[in-house]
Amino acid sequence: DDYVSGDKNIDIKSESAMDHFVIEEQKRQTKTKAGVSEFQIDIEKEIRDRAMAVFLTKKFPTKEGRQVTVSPEEFVFKIKDSVYDYQLSKDQAVVINGKRCSFVGLGKEGNPVFWDGSVASEVTREDLEKSFEKNNLVTYEIALEMLGEENIIGPEDISKALGFKPEKIQPIPFSKEEIELHKALGHKLVYEVNKTPEGLPLTLSELSRKAGSNLIKTGEYRLYKERFDDKGNIKKDAWFAKEVGMLSEVPEEGWKFISAKIIPGTENKNYISQTDFLIDFWKNNIFKDGISEEYKEAFEAWEKDKPRIQQLITDAKWPEAAKELGNHPVSKLLRENFTSTIERLITLQKSRNQKILPSACSWSRSFSSDGGLVSLGLFVAEGAYVYRSGPDFAWDGMGAVFSRMKPLEIEL
């Protein structure tokens, strides 16, 4: 009954392996029970983390022809008039002087290193911090003043919902003008985390475990009771119980703007038509003054690839079509993965007792191995549903929320 578009129901045989981080967390819990202090455990963890950082060091070529040795550590910094510690996370996307690249870690002198896919650039800590000050980054406090507490889901909400507060947060990549635009559209600013302080990936299983009991109150559930037990564990007969790809997904770390409800007009459309509608919505509401290069390229790629993907659907090649759609650049820009929606659902319900998507499902970019694209919603007394639907399916109870992340822009 969770496959709302047809009768395909392929049995998936593969099983996920125990992650290294899960083993480490089990060791930590065993030591705690044995009377080892949390302080001692933290010291041991820091030693392990530093040893692992040394082990994971990599060398990147620079445009000068030399090699820079990089340790996969965060770059931590302060922003004037903010009480928070900010960070650049490993593999975080940034745009430096108009060129897209990613932060890969710290060089031997503790300077941040960025990789554009061909060469690495090392920037001094002082120069980068000066650029942040020059570019007038929006602090969490400023965003809170502009949007109001009701329109920001931040670190405090994560603490109430998942039991830990991020010690460091990524800087907000949106300008004051962009914040005003999204405020006018009724969007919320959301911070997402993708791992626990112990380093455990926040997969669906880990999110459910951190959230605790699946019972909100007697007879009322957070996640659909036929697919999750009272403790929040995935039931063995859930259609996604062995979906390795889905179950290994984590939320997208960082700040994003999201709509509280389904975008009107996205309902009752198949995946391709819904994507066309989303593109038009962006052009008419976000890019009135011109489309950014990244989105322009994705929109052009969509028009080029759409006939081929449509043919896959016509030929009933569901897994190929779903994979193409879920992994397409335009889907990655315009849609969130379903684990991000799950994290927001848990966070808002536990921290503010608010239910998202009570009367509709939001179609994500996540996909199942049997050719469905995953949606989440209909948060009723029995809990929120996790569906998968073929790309040709259309239903007036399924649309798409607005979702926007962007890389931090840096001018050096």
Side-chain angles (χ1 to χ4, degrees):
D1 63 325
D2 288 326
Y3 196 93
V4 293
S5 69
D7 58 0
K8 290 173 57 59
N9 187 15
I10 296 173
D11 183 30
I12 301 148
K13 301 294 183 184
S14 56
E15 296 180 359
S16 58
M18 179 70 77
D19 189 278
H20 163 76
F21 294 112
V22 177
I23 296 172
E24 289 299 318
E25 174 62 5
Q26 289 175 340
K27 288 179 181 177
R28 187 193 71 78
Q29 292 177 5
T30 300
K31 286 183 178 180
T32 302
K33 290 177 182 177
V36 180
S37 72
E38 288 287 346
F39 175 76
Q40 179 64 28
I41 294 170
D42 289 343
I43 291 294
E44 290 178 4
K45 179 181 182 298
E46 183 169 345
I47 293 171
R48 286 198 309 273
D49 288 348
R50 289 189 179 185
M52 185 61 70
V54 172
F55 178 73
L56 293 176
T57 56
K58 292 178 64 176
K59 290 187 177 181
F60 292 84
T62 67
K63 62 182 179 180
E64 294 83 11
R66 63 184 180 87
Q67 297 278 322
V68 58
T69 301
V70 179
S71 175
E73 299 176 66
E74 303 156 341
F75 176 71
V76 181
F77 60 98
K78 287 282 192 181
I79 300 178
K80 186 179 179 182
D81 299 326
S82 178
V83 300
Y84 285 86
D85 288 327
Y86 295 85
Q87 69 176 21
L88 294 184
S89 306
K90 184 180 180 300
D91 298 325
Q92 180 179 337
V94 296
V95 174
I96 298 181
N97 297 339
K99 188 171 186 178
R100 189 179 179 91
C101 54
S102 59
F103 169 73
V104 291
L106 303 180
K108 286 186 176 180
E109 303 299 322
N111 292 322
V113 179
F114 301 91
W115 174 251
D116 68 4
S118 300
V119 295
S121 300
E122 188 170 6
V123 181
T124 67
R125 176 180 292 270
E126 293 76 15
D127 285 347
L128 190 58
E129 290 178 344
K130 285 178 182 177
S131 76
F132 289 151
E133 185 174 347
K134 180 182 69 174
N135 294 332
N136 295 318
L137 290 182
V138 173
T139 64
Y140 178 74
E141 291 87 347
I142 290 174
L144 188 63
E145 183 179 345
M146 293 179 68
L147 291 168
E149 186 177 348
E150 69 278 9
N151 291 317
I152 292 187
I153 305 170
E156 287 76 13
D157 293 286
I158 293 170
S159 176
K160 292 176 184 177
L162 301 180
F164 67 89
K165 183 177 179 179
E167 296 179 1
K168 303 175 285 290
I169 59 175
Q170 290 187 9
I172 296 172
F174 301 100
S175 66
K176 290 182 179 179
E177 292 75 19
E178 288 172 320
I179 292 174
E180 290 290 356
L181 168 65
H182 287 285
K183 180 180 180 180
L185 291 170
H187 297 162
K188 295 180 181 293
L189 184 62
V190 180
Y191 191 69
E192 290 185 2
V193 290
N194 62 10
K195 61 181 179 294
T196 69
E198 300 80 27
L200 285 164
L202 278 175
T203 59
L204 175 58
S205 296
E206 185 62 19
L207 280 168
S208 299
R209 190 179 75 82
K210 281 291 185 184
S213 173
N214 195 37
L215 279 166
I216 298 173
K217 58 184 180 182
T218 303
E220 191 170 348
Y221 299 80
R222 186 176 303 111
L223 299 170
Y224 185 39
K225 65 177 184 177
E226 298 300 323
R227 300 290 175 258
F228 298 84
D229 65 21
D230 289 358
K231 294 182 179 180
N233 299 313
I234 300 169
K235 291 186 176 181
K236 291 182 179 179
D237 61 351
W239 68 261
F240 47 86
K242 293 186 179 180
E243 285 284 347
V244 178
M246 281 179 56
L247 298 182
S248 64
E249 285 187 351
V250 295
E252 304 156 294
E253 185 181 19
W255 293 98
K256 66 163 57 170
F257 270 109
I258 202 86
S259 60
K261 300 177 181 179
I262 295 296
I263 300 173
T266 58
E267 311 95 326
N268 206 25
K269 287 179 169 57
N270 64 39
Y271 206 86
I272 285 181
S273 296
Q274 193 181 83
T275 301
D276 286 336
F277 186 95
L278 289 172
I279 291 172
D280 288 339
F281 181 89
W282 274 74
K283 289 179 178 178
N284 295 330
N285 292 277
I286 308 300
F287 292 134
K288 293 179 180 179
D289 299 325
I291 302 173
S292 71
E293 193 62 31
E294 181 182 20
Y295 282 81
K296 181 181 178 183
E297 290 177 0
F299 293 168
E300 290 174 351
W302 173 250
E303 293 302 322
K304 176 176 176 288
D305 297 337
K306 186 164 54 172
R308 177 175 52 80
I309 298 173
Q310 181 60 65
Q311 189 60 52
L312 290 174
I313 297 171
T314 301
D315 295 341
K317 294 181 178 179
W318 310 113
E320 295 96 322
K323 186 176 181 179
E324 289 266 3
L325 288 166
N327 286 333
H328 199 279
V330 81
S331 295
K332 292 181 178 180
L333 288 174
L334 305 188
R335 299 178 188 264
E336 58 182 358
N337 69 35
F338 93 105
T339 317
S340 288
T341 317
I342 287 276
E343 181 174 281
R344 190 166 67 260
L345 178 147
I346 290 172
T347 300
L348 275 176
Q349 190 283 309
K350 290 206 69 179
S351 68
R352 306 188 188 189
N353 197 28
Q354 295 177 6
K355 291 184 177 181
I356 68 169
L357 302 170
S359 58
C361 290
S362 179
W363 225 349
S364 75
R365 68 168 187 262
S366 304
F367 54 89
S368 62
S369 60
D370 59 354
L373 289 139
V374 183
S375 62
L376 178 77
L378 295 179
F379 194 166
V380 292
E382 292 82 7
Y385 287 72
V386 180
Y387 289 115
R388 88 273 205 208
S389 309
D392 61 338
F393 182 71
W395 174 41
D396 59 8
M398 185 162 62
V401 297
F402 176 91
S403 174
R404 183 190 186 188
M405 298 191 83
K406 65 171 290 190
L408 181 69
E409 296 179 359
I410 301 169
E411 291 292 332
L412 295 174

